[in-house]
Every structure is written in C-alpha cells, then in structure tokens.
Amino acid sequence: MVRLVVLFLTAVLLVSVAQTGARTRWAYTTHYDYIDVDQVLKNSRLYTKYFECLMGQGKCTPEAKELRDKLPEALQTNCAMCSERQANESHKVIRFLIQQRPEDFRMLEAKYDPSGLYMKRYEEEIKLNATST
C-alpha cells in the first residue's frame, strides 16, 4: 500500500507539471501550479477523470495528459525536475491515496511500476509521509 501512495503522489504532483521549451531551474513548467490539488482530491468527478487518464481508460485534459506523459520520467528521477510546490503537492496526494484510495494506488503501481523498482527507492520516504499525517 505504501508503494502505491508513492506512485500516486508522484502522479498528482505531475498534474501541475508540463514541460516548456525554455528550461528553468527545473525541467517542468509551473504553468499548471494553479490547479487546486485539494479540490481535485475532494471532487469525485475530477479525481476520476485524472485517474482514468492516468490508467489510459478515458479522455485526458491537456494537464492530465502532460501528467500521464511525465509520470514515468518523474518516477525514474525521484521527481528531481519538480518545483518545491509540485513536490509538496505530490506528498499530499500520496497520503490521500494511502488513506482514502488504496485500490487506486495498487492499480497505478501495477501500471507504472510493475517490478517495484521505483517503490524500493521510495520506501523510506513513503513510511515517513504515512506517519506524518
């Protein structure tokens, strides 16, 4: 379950991420940082749309598509190209998934990290996030 949280956290983090042509200190633009992650998590319809896009089961908004496209890279790099706000929001999403949507977390993990390679890297961080709630 902890592994799923890390995966989904990274996914939500990337909801507010899109790559720009001009590189800044990080590789992902802050263009979508205005998205209220709390609102997405609290609104079943919005949450479902993002989740379905990530799972390849539904239509994607531009920001959800960007998230889906960048998620594998963010997992590989431990979100090294994320802004501070994006990293903070991803932690929030991980806690939400662990506590509120564990089945969704398992599905995302199966899709984006079937071998558990990335989750091993994030285990300590996940444990810390799970206990800091």
Side-chain angles (χ1 to χ4, degrees), residues 6-112:
V6 170
L7 177 64
F8 196 77
L9 170 68
T10 304
V12 173
L13 165 76
L14 291 176
V15 166
S16 62
V17 174
Q19 190 168 8
T20 61
R23 285 222 186 283
T24 60
R25 191 182 82 171
W26 38 79
Y28 304 124
T29 184
T30 56
H31 179 75
Y32 291 119
D33 279 6
Y34 69 89
I35 293 173
D36 184 346
V37 172
D38 290 319
Q39 182 66 25
V40 173
L41 298 177
K42 291 176 185 176
N43 184 311
S44 178
R45 184 184 60 78
L46 289 173
Y47 172 87
T48 299
K49 291 293 184 187
Y50 277 101
F51 180 77
E52 288 175 349
C53 174
L54 289 173
M55 293 302 297
Q57 300 170 346
K59 292 184 179 181
C60 297
T61 62
E63 57 272 11
K65 182 183 181 310
E66 188 70 26
L67 169 62
R68 185 187 67 201
D69 294 346
K70 298 300 179 198
L71 181 56
E73 177 184 63
L75 287 170
Q76 290 173 353
T77 65
N78 195 15
C79 209
M81 297 184 283
C82 298
S83 70
E84 184 177 344
R85 181 181 193 288
Q86 293 162 353
N88 290 337
E89 293 297 290
S90 68
H91 289 273
K92 183 186 299 182
V93 171
I94 287 176
R95 284 191 303 269
F96 172 82
L97 289 171
I98 288 173
Q99 296 172 357
Q100 305 293 324
R101 303 281 184 133
E103 182 59 31
D104 290 354
F105 187 78
R106 285 188 285 277
M107 292 170 66
L108 288 165
E109 182 180 30
K111 180 172 180 80
Y112 289 96

Side-chain angles (χ1 to χ4, degrees), residues 111-129:
K111 180 172 180 80
Y112 289 96
D113 191 18
S115 67
L117 176 67
Y118 306 128
M119 290 307 124
K120 289 177 187 171
R121 199 183 306 162
Y122 302 128
E123 263 180 17
E124 275 305 308
E125 182 179 349
I126 293 170
K127 288 177 187 175
L128 290 172
N129 285 323

